[in-house]
Amino acid sequence: MLDQVLYAIPFLLPGLLVTIEVSLITVAISTVIGVALGVGLVYGQWPLRWAIRGFSDIIRGIPILVLLFFVYYGLPLTGINLNNFAAAVLGLTIFKIAQVIEYVRGAIESVPRGQMDAAKSIGLPFHERLAYVIAPQALRRFLPPWLNGVTDAVKGSALISLLGVGDLLFGIQKVVGRTYEPLALYCFGALVYFALNYALSLASRALERRFSYIRE
Amino acid sequence: MSGKPTGATPLLRIKGVQKSFGSTHVLRGIDLDVARGEVVTIIGPSGGGKTTLLRCVNFLETYDRGSITIDGAEVGYRDGEARKRRTETDLARMRAETGMVFQLFNLFPHLTAAQNITLGLTRVRGLGRAEAGDKAMHWLKRVGLADKAGHLPSELSGGQQQRVGIARAVAMEPKILLLDEITSALDPELIGEVLDVVLSLAADGMTMLIVTHEIGFARDASHRIVFMAEGTVGAEAPPAEIFSPNQPNERLRSFLGRFSAAHRL
Ligand SMILES: Nc1ncnc2c1ncn2[C@@H]1O[C@H](COP(=O)(O)OP(=O)(O)OP(=O)(O)O)[C@@H](O)[C@H]1O
Ligand SMILES: [Mg+2]
């Protein structure tokens, strides 16, 4: 059984890299866009707020797998053809953006209203109020769910093997198909996912400690 | 306080200001002038609109009707164009001219006492770091907190936090300082140290519009006292007249009466 696992490792390595790559891209893009839209949701004019609220509610109400299939199989019907890697990244990113929007909203709303008043009263314009007063305080509330979301992204990325993207799970399935040793290989696969996420959660705990000095 | 300043045109001019929150008509046509160097105190029953009026003066709150001008410039709305909101840059520039001290201090909790003061100096006033630091130190000394410069607000007492709040506001060298019940969240033994700072600013000629429930302080610190109730100015006079037993305003007399009963003044 150990033989099987050792045999599989070289085949799984590229898949592991794809899983990491997809997770990284998804997290990076969704964070940038999600933060911008989250700020828009809290501070925007009503048409903008309304649009972002609608987007977030709809996306969060759809199972992630349905979203992936929609992007991969549905978009080509509108003339947008994406290869399976791009479709996978797009689907996961859209899903994650909706989550980040809600983390940002919750984090900003956790900052007492008086902070914005005080920042206004010393004459800071909007972007500086955000950068120097609201963001540093909101960050502490934003980090824990966001870091959780990073592990979710790694786990959720396993779904993209269903689009034929050669990620870690896809690699495992290929080796299983050759060796007929599902139990050992899936156990090994679970272990690799776990190791990856455990490393992430250790890193995130360190990061949270780093920002815990900010008190009310 | 004696020697009421006499300016030709008032620094702050509030004319016919009205404001509603939904169906609650909170300000029902307020007229109030504050001259340069003058200390004006607003007293009155809870819910009368005192906080709302103060917040309108630096546009933390919009107002529906009337006009508020500081040095002739309309607050919040563009001059000459009725009800057209100023741009964000414009609003920020105007707000820097009015300092505000809050009931709950509202210090920035992630910044030290000194950084609370330098933030506006560097970002808004464009001072260099060293210059801003010197200025922060000067004001911290002035409020008796030179040794607390490197402390976070959470490491300070309420009275100390509020003195940093005052230093943060005056360091910007605003044309007028707005103070909204700045001692009402403090333990009684800490109130004196904060009011002393305000008195020393008044002695320096700082223009101030104050809301307070400290009736004794209002009497000692103000050139003029304004009694506000139910969104209107009920009476407006120097302290001696306001507290005179012959005060003609019935509501004011009963308001003050309740006070002296409660506080055994
Ligand atoms: N943001 C708001 N939304 C709705 N109503 C408000 C808001 N702010 C104030 N009000 C209402 O406006 C009225 C006046 O409130 P305001 O805080 O100005 O009174 P105040 O004179 O400062 O009272 P106090 O002495 O208790 O501080 C109150 O009835 C209050 O409930
Ligand atoms: Mg009030």
Side-chain angles (χ1 to χ4, degrees), chain A residues 113 115 117 126 129 132 215, chain B residues 55 88 107 109-110 123:
Chain A
R113 228 191 85 150
Q115 290 294 309
D117 290 343
F126 177 71
R129 297 200 290 273
Y132 298 108
R215 273 164 284 184
Chain B
R55 290 173 62 84
E88 179 59 30
L107 293 186
H110 57 298
R123 291 286 140 201

Side-chain angles (χ1 to χ4, degrees), chain B residues 117-170:
Chain B
I117 302 170
T118 54
L119 180 61
L121 295 177
T122 53
R123 291 286 140 201
V124 180
R125 291 289 185 234
L127 300 189
R129 281 183 51 171
E131 206 182 338
D134 287 349
K135 198 155 190 186
M137 247 357 248
H138 165 81
W139 282 106
L140 282 173
K141 259 184 217 140
R142 180 70 196 273
V143 300
L145 292 172
D147 55 327
K148 303 291 184 195
H151 288 239
L152 291 172
S154 56
E155 299 164 341
L156 301 176
S157 74
Q160 291 169 337
Q161 288 189 53
Q162 192 57 297
R163 283 185 277 154
V164 175
I166 295 172
R168 175 175 69 182
V170 289

Side-chain angles (χ1 to χ4, degrees), chain B residues 33-230:
Chain B
D33 288 352
V34 179
R36 219 173 291 276
E38 195 180 17
V39 177
V40 174
T41 301
I42 305 174
I43 59 172
S46 186
K50 305 182 296 295
T51 295
T52 305
L53 180 66
L54 230 56
R55 290 173 62 84
C56 285
V57 172
N58 64 355
F59 213 61
L60 292 181
E61 212 70 77
T62 58
Y63 48 98
D64 307 326
R65 224 163 271 183
S67 100
I68 300 177
T69 56
I70 292 176
D71 252 350
E74 181 82 21
V75 172
Y77 301 103
R78 292 181 214 177
D79 297 305
E81 287 173 274
R83 304 293 100 182
K84 255 196 100 207
R85 200 186 164 96
R86 286 179 185 272
T87 62
E88 179 59 30
T89 328
D90 237 12
L91 283 178
R93 193 177 48 70
M94 288 201 73
R95 284 194 184 114
E97 305 303 325
T98 56
M100 184 141 189
V101 185
F102 300 88
Q103 184 173 0
L104 299 175
F105 326 138
N106 297 354
L107 293 186
F108 307 128
H110 57 298
L111 300 179
T112 64
Q115 289 168 335
N116 263 275
I117 302 170
T118 54
L119 180 61
L121 295 177
T122 53
R123 291 286 140 201
V124 180
R125 291 289 185 234
L127 300 189
R129 281 183 51 171
E131 206 182 338
D134 287 349
K135 198 155 190 186
M137 247 357 248
H138 165 81
W139 282 106
L140 282 173
K141 259 184 217 140
R142 180 70 196 273
V143 300
L145 292 172
D147 55 327
K148 303 291 184 195
H151 288 239
L152 291 172
S154 56
E155 299 164 341
L156 301 176
S157 74
Q160 291 169 337
Q161 288 189 53
Q162 192 57 297
R163 283 185 277 154
V164 175
I166 295 172
R168 175 175 69 182
V170 289
M172 296 292 292
E173 294 177 6
K175 291 175 178 163
I176 181 169
L177 199 56
L178 309 170
L179 308 141
D180 186 14
E181 290 192 43
I182 63 167
T183 58
S184 62
L186 295 176
D187 292 337
E189 72 271 19
L190 301 178
I191 291 177
E193 65 189 53
V194 172
L195 294 185
D196 284 347
V197 171
V198 178
L199 285 174
S200 88
L201 290 172
D204 278 5
M206 185 77 190
T207 311
M208 293 193 266
L209 183 57
I210 302 176
V211 171
T212 186
H213 286 296
E214 297 286 327
I215 298 296
F217 170 73
R219 187 174 45 200
D220 298 341
S222 326
H223 297 113
R224 198 149 45 92
I225 294 181
V226 173
F227 174 64
M228 220 178 125
E230 284 165 33

Side-chain angles (χ1 to χ4, degrees), chain A residues 10-95:
Chain A
F11 294 97
L12 299 188
L13 207 60
L16 176 62
L17 291 180
V18 169
T19 290
I20 293 175
E21 188 187 357
V22 168
S23 305
L24 270 180
I25 298 176
T26 302
V27 167
I29 299 179
S30 67
T31 300
V32 172
I33 299 180
V35 166
L37 293 184
V39 168
L41 177 61
V42 179
Y43 296 113
Q45 302 282 317
W46 74 263
L48 182 66
R49 283 208 311 267
W50 196 81
I52 296 171
R53 170 61 39 237
F55 166 81
S56 171
D57 285 351
I58 290 169
I59 297 301
R60 287 179 308 128
I62 300 175
I64 184 164
L65 191 55
V66 173
L67 193 62
L68 282 170
F69 282 171
F70 174 80
V71 172
Y72 188 51
Y73 297 111
L75 282 190
L77 302 178
T78 69
I80 303 170
N81 270 299
L82 298 172
N83 65 30
N84 55 1
F85 183 85
V89 168
L90 181 63
L92 291 176
T93 302
I94 291 175
F95 185 75

